Amino acid sequence: MPDKPDFAEFYAAWFRPLTHQLFAHTGDLAEAQDVVQEAFCKAWPRWSTLDDPGAWVRRVAWNLATSRWRRARRLLHLTRGAREEHSPGPGPDRVALRAALASLPERQRQAVVLFYLADVSIAEIAELTGAAEGTVKSWLHRGRAALALRLTDDDVTASQEVRSA
């Protein structure tokens, strides 16, 4: 093609008509603009070697649109059999425990969670925190005492009432 326009002229002349064609194909203007833009991006590094850039960009844009359509159809096929599973929210005991743990100082909370929930030994907690084992035992004692005060049957009943309201 001896009188091939420069890329900017080509883009200005072809972007809109190609977008209209792909919009008719996809039914989605944003999708059409995306695939046409991507086709032009792919054309830019090859610009000097393209004999018929209009046909090349159109073919690439159509191929991109078809590939996206196939991917979307495949995803729809794969998810069609999957059903959404809803899990119930946390129970009142868990809500009360979480609130009580949040009220503890950080080191006490860390010790209580590691010891009781993660089943980590006192020696391992001491090594992890860089504290003496006696300090870890003190954190656990204070944490248990604070939790005992906060976790009464009244707290659980109150959190049940809040959830049901």
Side-chain angles (χ1 to χ4, degrees):
M1 201 164 148
D3 54 324
K4 182 162 77 170
D6 75 348
F7 191 82
E9 291 172 353
F10 173 72
Y11 181 88
W14 282 78
F15 181 79
R16 189 173 182 157
L18 284 176
T19 300
H20 287 295
Q21 294 168 25
L22 273 293
F23 174 56
H25 175 60
T26 63
D28 182 342
L29 181 60
E31 180 77 12
Q33 290 170 333
D34 285 349
V35 296
V36 171
Q37 187 66 39
E38 189 173 343
F40 275 104
C41 289
K42 289 177 183 273
W44 171 248
R46 298 172 176 80
W47 182 246
S48 62
T49 62
L50 295 177
D51 292 329
D52 186 356
W56 191 91
V57 170
R58 179 185 293 116
R59 180 81 260 149
V60 170
W62 278 80
N63 287 345
L64 289 168
T66 301
S67 293
R68 288 183 181 191
W69 177 78
R70 286 180 181 149
R71 243 187 323 254
R73 188 178 69 179
R74 179 74 177 140
L75 181 63
L76 179 64
H77 175 72
L78 290 173
T79 58
R80 185 174 291 151
R83 61 186 177 113
E84 213 174 295
E85 292 185 26
H86 296 282
S87 60
D93 291 344
R94 178 167 269 171
V95 171
L97 176 61
R98 188 169 188 176
L101 284 170
S103 70
L104 294 178
E106 182 181 348
R107 289 299 193 169
Q108 288 178 18
R109 182 174 56 247
Q110 182 182 24
V112 167
V113 167
L114 289 172
F115 188 76
Y116 290 104
L117 300 178
D119 210 21
V120 177
S121 71
I122 291 174
E124 290 172 311
I125 296 171
E127 185 179 327
L128 180 71
T129 60
E133 287 185 28
T135 303
V136 173
K137 290 176 185 178
S138 172
W139 291 339
L140 287 170
H141 174 75
R142 290 179 186 156
R144 280 190 304 264
L147 289 174
L149 290 175
R150 288 179 180 87
L151 295 174
T152 63
D153 289 335
D154 295 338
D155 291 334
V156 173
T157 305
S159 65
Q160 285 175 336
E161 291 171 1
V162 168
R163 285 180 55 105
S164 63

